[in-house]
Amino acid sequence: MYFLKELKKYIDSLQVEKMDKDKMAKLAVKGTVIMAIKYNKGVLIAGDMRVTRGYDILQEDFYKIYPISGGKAVIAIAGVVAFAIKMIGILNLEIEHFEKREETELSFDAQANLLSQIVSSFLPLVFNGIVVAPILASQDKIYGYDPLGARYERNIWITGSGESFAQGSLDDDWDPQSKTKNDAVKMAVKALKKAQKNAGVGPGRVIYLIENKIRKLTEEDIKNITGGE
Amino acid sequence: MPGRNNVYLHSTEEAANRKNAAQELLKNAPPLVVASIKNGILFVGESYNVLLRKTAEIYDKIAFGAIGKYAEFNSLRKEIIYLADTMGYRYARQDVTTERLVEHLAEQLQVAFNNFRQMPPMVAIILAEINEKPEHDKIFKVSFDGDITSHHPYIVVGYNAEKIDKKIKKLLGDKKMSDLKHGAAIVLIKEAIITSKDDSSEKTKLEISFLSRNKTGRCFYRLK
């Protein structure tokens, strides 16, 4: 918690009372659908690549998934891009600083707790339409966050504006012990496709697998698994 | 009044006394060798306590080594890690330079040394940075009074430093330090440290860490 204080100072200096919610909604650049799915050997984390501002599409090749410093976890971001990137920066900084200062690793639960504190320190902004809801995942755990900073440990977690469309193609009785990597990839691809019914979700996709190592699936890998979809 | 004059010391005299005290302690500290070699920078130090580490990571390509009082150099280590991380976050990762960190250290030590109400700081700190080629490596030493010196290709500090330095030169012969890889360099430095001990039957415990030239990102790791 060495840099969190400075983050709080920064947020206090923003003069939240003077912000105009409607203007903010038009200005804010937003990313849309992300999900994490647990399977027998690890965790899949996926998202689309579109960012929007108001009714405009800004980018179709934006990455919403980033490996976190320390090599244990991956973060996916949905919501206002500017603040989401700031969160990732602070989280990485804190983890790296802790590792060097104390000469030990920071456990995944501690990282999740830290992210929770970072998200909740953005609370004054939430009421002005600036909402960030990340997902943090390691090899055997998924933590989904709500914009107020609460975290939930689940087998499947999905957030973003395409959420309600994608929800239908996710298996309610998903049992991570009996499902393989291929099952998870197939379900994620299907859900991403469904989510495209929302105008905020683009056709691009990024899928990361967190097993013993963290690796990004290429488009070819995805097509091999799903049979050309 | 007689006797009063004996109590009063001129500040230069006082400084000389403090310098002596610090030098005395540092001369008896377990030795540390920092050498720029073919595939990185090597830190080999004699250390009797695993908890009291004298080498540490500072930033991507920068590492730290120190002798003297642990509590003193450890707080300085934390301070410059904070400085480096803040700079890396505000600007960019490649903007964190050893020179800036050395400057900060020198400032802190100089102020502490000139404060005559406290004990003088009794540390010697080495900061090293790897570059793409061994001849561009940087090794800086900051002494207890804030003096900065630059050394290449290696530096020895601590107990019997001169003796170890001579031994290393002898063992190297015609070879250059920058031609050695870490395996050979560790063997060489280890031998130099062990053979220049007063009592050679004594068991030597070493702390070895390495800044690797072949890695990207954070390059520091411990070998022992």
Side-chain angles (χ1 to χ4, degrees), chain A residues 2-3 6 69-70 86 89-90 93 96-97 99-103, chain B residues 53 56-59 77-78 81-82 85-86 89-90 93 218 222:
Chain A
Y2 305 100
F3 298 92
E6 289 183 21
S69 159
K86 201 171 183 78
I90 297 271
L93 184 64
E96 202 187 311
H97 189 68
E99 279 182 358
K100 287 193 284 200
R101 212 181 133 100
E102 312 294 336
E103 311 220 357
Chain B
R53 299 229 192 243
E57 176 185 12
I58 299 293
Y59 212 66
R77 175 185 72 93
K78 286 177 182 169
I81 289 176
Y82 187 85
D85 278 345
T86 318
Y89 181 70
R90 282 203 188 137
R93 289 195 86 92
R218 288 161 68 182
R222 293 187 189 286

Side-chain angles (χ1 to χ4, degrees), chain B residues 40-221:
Chain B
I41 290 179
L42 193 65
F43 291 73
V44 183
E46 208 180 334
S47 145
Y48 294 100
N49 194 337
V50 203
L51 283 175
L52 311 182
R53 299 229 192 243
K54 45 190 357 188
T55 62
E57 176 185 12
I58 299 293
Y59 212 66
D60 286 354
K61 292 179 184 312
I62 305 170
F64 169 101
I67 56 165
K69 282 194 174 175
Y70 179 78
E72 268 170 10
F73 68 68
N74 197 38
S75 64
L76 284 168
R77 175 185 72 93
K78 286 177 182 169
E79 218 169 280
I80 51 173
I81 289 176
Y82 187 85
L83 179 64
D85 278 345
T86 318
M87 278 170 74
Y89 181 70
R90 282 203 188 137
Y91 312 125
R93 289 195 86 92
Q94 60 268 25
D95 289 328
V96 181
T97 57
T98 321
E99 284 85 347
R100 177 69 189 85
L101 302 178
V102 164
E103 199 187 302
H104 178 82
L105 271 180
E107 213 176 287
Q108 295 286 316
L109 284 172
Q110 196 257 347
V111 168
F113 183 77
N114 286 346
N115 182 0
F116 284 3
R117 292 181 184 191
Q118 293 172 359
M119 284 284 280
M122 297 189 179
V123 290
I125 292 173
I126 294 163
L127 282 188
E129 179 187 337
I130 43 164
N131 267 306
E132 273 165 29
K133 284 179 181 171
E135 54 265 33
H136 297 150
D137 281 352
K138 293 170 192 164
I139 300 173
F140 292 106
K141 181 189 158 198
V142 189
S143 58
F144 52 87
D145 53 355
D147 270 358
I148 305 170
T149 45
S150 166
H151 302 265
H152 204 268
Y154 68 91
I155 178 178
V156 190
V157 284
Y159 189 62
N160 272 344
E162 282 172 19
K163 214 171 164 186
I164 295 172
D165 192 8
K166 272 180 196 164
K167 269 269 152 58
I168 291 177
K169 274 193 184 120
K170 202 176 164 190
L171 288 169
L172 270 173
D174 314 332
K175 282 180 285 180
K176 275 183 184 170
M177 198 55 122
S178 57
D179 295 336
L180 296 179
K181 280 207 160 191
H182 65 281
I186 288 172
V187 172
L188 192 147
I189 294 170
K190 212 172 169 178
E191 204 189 321
I193 290 178
I194 291 171
T195 50
S196 43
K197 277 192 141 185
D198 301 335
D199 180 12
S200 52
S201 62
E202 209 181 313
K203 221 182 172 188
T204 330
K205 277 187 187 170
L206 292 179
E207 177 186 335
I208 304 172
S209 44
F210 191 50
L211 266 174
S212 171
R213 220 182 290 283
N214 305 325
K215 274 190 164 186
T216 51
R218 288 161 68 182
C219 305
F220 180 88
Y221 59 94

Side-chain angles (χ1 to χ4, degrees), chain A residues 69-148:
Chain A
S69 159
K72 274 184 195 159
V74 173
I75 190 172
I77 49 167
V80 178
V81 170
F83 292 101
I85 297 293
K86 201 171 183 78
M87 276 181 194
I88 296 176
I90 297 271
L91 182 64
N92 274 330
L93 184 64
E94 287 275 12
I95 293 170
E96 202 187 311
H97 189 68
F98 180 91
E99 279 182 358
K100 287 193 284 200
R101 212 181 133 100
E102 312 294 336
E103 311 220 357
T104 48
E105 287 185 359
L106 195 61
S107 70
F108 175 68
D109 275 355
Q111 293 179 12
N113 195 4
L114 190 55
L115 181 60
S116 172
Q117 289 174 51
I118 293 172
V119 173
S120 62
S121 62
F122 279 86
L123 189 65
L125 294 170
V126 172
F127 304 109
N128 288 287
I130 297 172
V131 171
V132 182
I135 299 177
L136 192 71
S138 76
Q139 195 191 342
D140 50 4
K141 257 182 200 171
I142 297 170
Y143 282 122
Y145 291 79
D146 70 9
L148 302 185

